[in-house]
Amino acid sequence: MAPTLPFPTTEQYSKKKRKRTLDEADRTTETQQAGGPPPRPKPQKTASISTLMSGMDIDSPPKATSGESKTLKRKKSHRRDDSLASIMEVDTTAEKKAVEEETHGRQKRLRKEPSVVEPPIVPLLPPSKPKTVVPVPDDHDTSMNAEKAEKAEKKKKKKGKEAAMNGQDEAVAESSSVPSTLTPLQAQMKEKLQGSLFRQYNETIYKSDSRTFHELVQKDPNVFTEYHVGFRRQVTSWPTNPVQHYISVLSSYPKRTMVVDLGCGDAALAKALVPKGLSVLSFDIMSDGEWVVEADICEKIPLPGSETGGGRLIDVVVCALSLMSTNWPQCIRETRRILKDSGELKIAEVTSRFTSVKDFVALVESLGFQLTKQEQPTTHFTLFDFQVSAPPNPPISPKDWKSTLKKGPIILKPCEYKRR
């Protein structure tokens, strides 16, 4: 028994058939207007069994029983389903052929129409920089450029010397500068921390003897670096720098003049005067491996000489803000030991440190010097020039030396920086 196929109602089927007929007529008209092939004749539909039977003069069969009537009804429904399926199959075949004809006509029209070529896609590139044409200079232009280059080189050297005079090297500037990655609050906190460390180290230096700070630096070399970072920050607020003053003064001295810089820091004096032909030896509590010799200047300066004998080779000694420890009179005594008979001692100190300038001069003169010049170019500093004189006569006894050392922290007070 064949399976029963679902099919639409008679009214739905007639509507669908009418619509299909109209669509085929429209496509046929479009195909003829476009010059396509003539429409193919519609296939004739197969007549249904009921229609064939209606035209035949056949005697009606005798009435069947109830069982036979049911069987006949099933057979009639099957025949009707088969006829509808064949009609739908014919209609589907015709529709496929119409679609193929329409496609054939469209392809034919496209062959006749001119083809449109799309432009190629060009990737966007960044605009190229215009080439600069360098004109060929003549002889006059070449000479002018050489003069400009020479002037620029001189300015560059001058700036380098000034930086050396001020003791502000590039490496030092990098170490003291605040990294740009820090926030403003972090930078402010770091600056305050560096300031507090500087005040702490500064207080240790001024309120104890030189051995204390020397041992501290030997245990932790970063102490010396951190101290000088804070010291350079203080120098920027001064109206003048005593080191720069001594550079300008000693630049006029004869070549091969032997100069000793005690408490030199960055050795700015040597970096400025050595290129001018002077010989400069720089001493501080820690060596930099290049310009500075390590020495505790308030204990022993590693140079030959004696107070009463020979072996003294130094012409000038500079103490620019270096009489810091409580035993600073020992530094003056060591200076007298290494200076020639005609040697000079130049001292620069913070004016506010002096309890009595007169007592300070008297103490220095008692160790074998004579004051030749005293000046105060600014309110910050006082400058002294001493000349070597006859050694103390009689020589200083150990007892007298102890009393002299006790006067040191009384005559020169500690230099304390205010909290900012």
Side-chain angles (χ1 to χ4, degrees):
M1 180 177 177
T4 305
L5 298 174
F7 58 90
T9 61
T10 306
E11 185 179 355
Q12 291 175 347
Y13 180 74
S14 47
K15 284 183 181 180
K16 184 175 180 182
K17 181 179 180 183
R18 193 181 303 111
K19 184 178 179 183
R20 189 183 299 114
T21 305
L22 292 174
D23 292 342
E24 289 177 0
D26 292 340
R27 284 196 293 271
T28 303
T29 305
E30 291 176 0
T31 305
Q32 290 175 357
Q33 289 177 358
R40 298 179 64 180
K42 284 187 177 182
Q44 294 182 356
K45 296 181 179 179
T46 306
S48 63
I49 298 173
S50 60
T51 305
L52 295 173
M53 291 179 65
S54 62
M56 298 175 62
D57 188 11
I58 301 175
D59 295 335
S60 59
K63 292 182 179 180
T65 61
S66 61
E68 291 176 352
S69 63
K70 289 181 181 180
T71 305
L72 289 173
K73 285 180 182 180
R74 289 192 192 98
K75 289 180 179 180
K76 286 180 181 180
S77 65
H78 292 329
R79 293 192 191 103
R80 187 168 57 250
D81 294 341
D82 294 340
S83 63
L84 289 174
S86 62
I87 292 169
M88 291 176 66
E89 182 179 358
V90 170
D91 292 343
T92 306
T93 305
E95 186 176 354
K96 286 182 179 179
K97 290 181 179 180
V99 172
E100 290 177 358
E101 290 173 359
E102 184 180 357
T103 305
H104 178 71
R106 186 182 297 110
Q107 291 177 353
K108 191 172 182 181
R109 286 196 303 273
L110 290 174
R111 290 193 198 99
K112 291 180 180 181
E113 293 177 358
S115 59
V116 180
V117 180
E118 295 183 358
I121 299 174
V122 181
L124 295 176
L125 297 175
S128 59
K129 295 182 180 180
K131 295 182 179 180
T132 55
V133 179
V134 181
V136 180
D138 54 11
D139 295 339
H140 179 69
D141 292 339
T142 306
S143 60
M144 291 292 290
N145 292 335
E147 291 178 2
K148 289 181 180 179
E150 188 177 356
K151 289 181 180 179
E153 187 67 22
K154 287 182 179 179
K155 286 183 179 179
K156 187 176 180 181
K157 289 182 179 179
K158 187 176 180 181
K159 287 182 180 180
K161 289 180 180 179
E162 289 178 356
M165 292 176 185
N166 293 325
Q168 297 175 349
D169 296 331
E170 293 181 1
V172 173
E174 289 178 1
S175 63
S176 61
S177 62
V178 179
S180 59
T181 55
L182 298 180
T183 63
L185 179 60
Q186 290 173 335
Q188 185 179 3
M189 292 176 66
K190 183 174 182 178
E191 188 174 352
K192 285 185 178 180
L193 178 61
Q194 289 177 343
S196 64
L197 286 174
F198 169 71
R199 286 191 296 271
Q200 179 183 351
Y201 297 146
N202 189 73
E203 185 176 352
T204 302
I205 295 171
Y206 278 103
K207 293 186 178 181
S208 59
D209 58 25
S210 58
R211 289 186 296 271
T212 303
F213 190 66
H214 191 198
E215 292 173 359
L216 183 63
V217 170
Q218 286 180 332
K219 291 179 181 178
D220 185 6
N222 291 328
V223 171
F224 183 79
T225 305
E226 291 169 354
Y227 171 77
H228 277 279
V229 168
F231 180 78
R232 293 182 197 97
R233 187 176 290 110
Q234 295 293 331
V235 170
T236 58
S237 63
W238 294 348
T240 58
N241 189 347
V243 175
Q244 191 170 359
H245 167 75
Y246 287 130
I247 288 172
S248 61
V249 170
L250 295 174
S251 296
S252 60
Y253 276 47
K255 292 184 178 182
R256 297 184 181 179
T257 299
M258 291 292 296
V259 181
V260 168
D261 185 9
L262 299 179
C264 62
D266 298 324
L269 197 70
K271 293 174 184 177
L273 296 179
V274 169
K276 297 182 179 182
L278 281 75
S279 299
V280 183
L281 300 176
S282 303
F283 297 94
D284 211 323
I285 206 149
M286 182 177 177
S287 172
D288 65 350
E290 186 177 2
W291 292 89
V292 184
V293 179
E294 180 180 347
D296 183 356
I297 60 174
C298 292
E299 282 293 323
K300 181 74 174 179
I301 300 174
L303 288 173
S306 65
E307 294 181 3
T308 57
R312 293 171 289 176
L313 306 173
I314 308 304
D315 298 306
V316 181
V317 173
V318 177
C319 294
L321 311 178
S322 56
L323 302 179
M324 303 174 70
S325 303
T326 55
N327 58 334
W328 63 265
Q330 180 65 33
C331 179
I332 304 297
R333 191 173 185 180
E334 280 291 289
T335 299
R336 176 65 181 80
R337 181 183 65 81
I338 63 174
L339 275 173
K340 293 179 180 179
D341 291 337
S342 59
E344 301 176 16
L345 170 61
K346 297 182 181 296
I347 299 175
E349 266 304 332
V350 180
T351 303
S352 60
R353 290 192 64 195
F354 294 100
T355 56
S356 173
V357 175
K358 184 178 180 180
D359 292 343
F360 175 77
V361 173
L363 189 150
V364 175
E365 288 184 339
S366 67
L367 298 176
F369 292 97
Q370 184 178 358
L371 180 66
T372 58
K373 187 178 180 181
Q374 177 182 337
E375 58 180 332
Q376 190 175 348
T378 65
T379 57
H380 282 65
F381 309 108
T382 303
L383 308 180
F384 302 90
D385 285 356
F386 292 94
Q387 186 88 24
V388 173
S389 62
N393 191 13
I396 302 175
S397 63
K399 184 178 179 180
D400 292 339
W401 180 239
K402 286 184 180 180
S403 62
T404 302
L405 284 176
K406 289 180 181 179
K407 294 178 183 178
I410 299 173
I411 295 174
L412 284 179
K413 299 184 297 181
C415 182
E416 297 179 349
Y417 292 92
K418 296 180 181 178
R419 296 179 181 269
R420 299 185 183 273

